[in-house]
Amino acid sequence: MLVYIAPSIIHGKGLFAARPLRAGQLIGVYDGPVTDRDGDHVLWVENEGDDGWTGYDGINELRFMNHADSPTAEMDGLRCYALVDIEAETEITIDYGWNDS
């Protein structure tokens, strides 16, 4: 087991490293049905070729990743990778891209 869900000081529940993770390591793959509606656990992925965005309504533990301006992980499509070495018990965060132009 690489991750677990626990209360977060950032917001509600968060995703945490169950053991140390190395920078560049695959943490997991976001799983959920395609949706065109926004929601609490919807991940928006940019389509190739400037063809808009596709939403995925998360159903696995990755849906609990919270936002951080200095994230510990990043999404590449539906795959989540560690940006830095992450110690066990550390919350795994991503940048939601709210400030991107």
Side-chain angles (χ1 to χ4, degrees):
M1 174 173 75
L2 292 179
V3 297
Y4 65 94
I5 300 161
S8 168
I9 62 169
I10 296 171
H11 174 78
K13 295 179 182 176
L15 187 70
F16 291 80
R19 62 182 194 181
L21 304 172
R22 297 177 318 278
Q25 182 174 352
L26 176 66
I27 296 171
V29 179
Y30 203 89
D31 187 25
V34 172
T35 183
D36 58 0
R37 295 183 149 180
D38 205 4
D40 289 341
H41 300 291
V42 174
L43 174 69
W44 292 96
V45 176
E46 189 170 13
N47 300 329
E48 291 186 30
D50 196 30
D51 191 29
W53 297 78
T54 299
Y56 296 87
D57 195 359
I59 59 172
N60 66 355
E61 60 275 341
L62 269 64
R63 74 183 185 269
F64 291 103
M65 288 185 291
N66 284 315
H67 168 80
D69 291 333
S70 296
T72 58
E74 68 178 344
M75 298 301 297
D76 182 5
L78 295 175
R79 297 183 187 283
C80 180
Y81 294 93
L83 276 173
V84 297
D85 289 342
I86 303 171
E87 295 181 23
E89 313 302 318
T90 301
E91 185 164 2
I92 298 168
T93 57
I94 59 174
D95 182 345
Y96 288 178
W98 290 330
N99 296 323
D100 292 350
S101 299

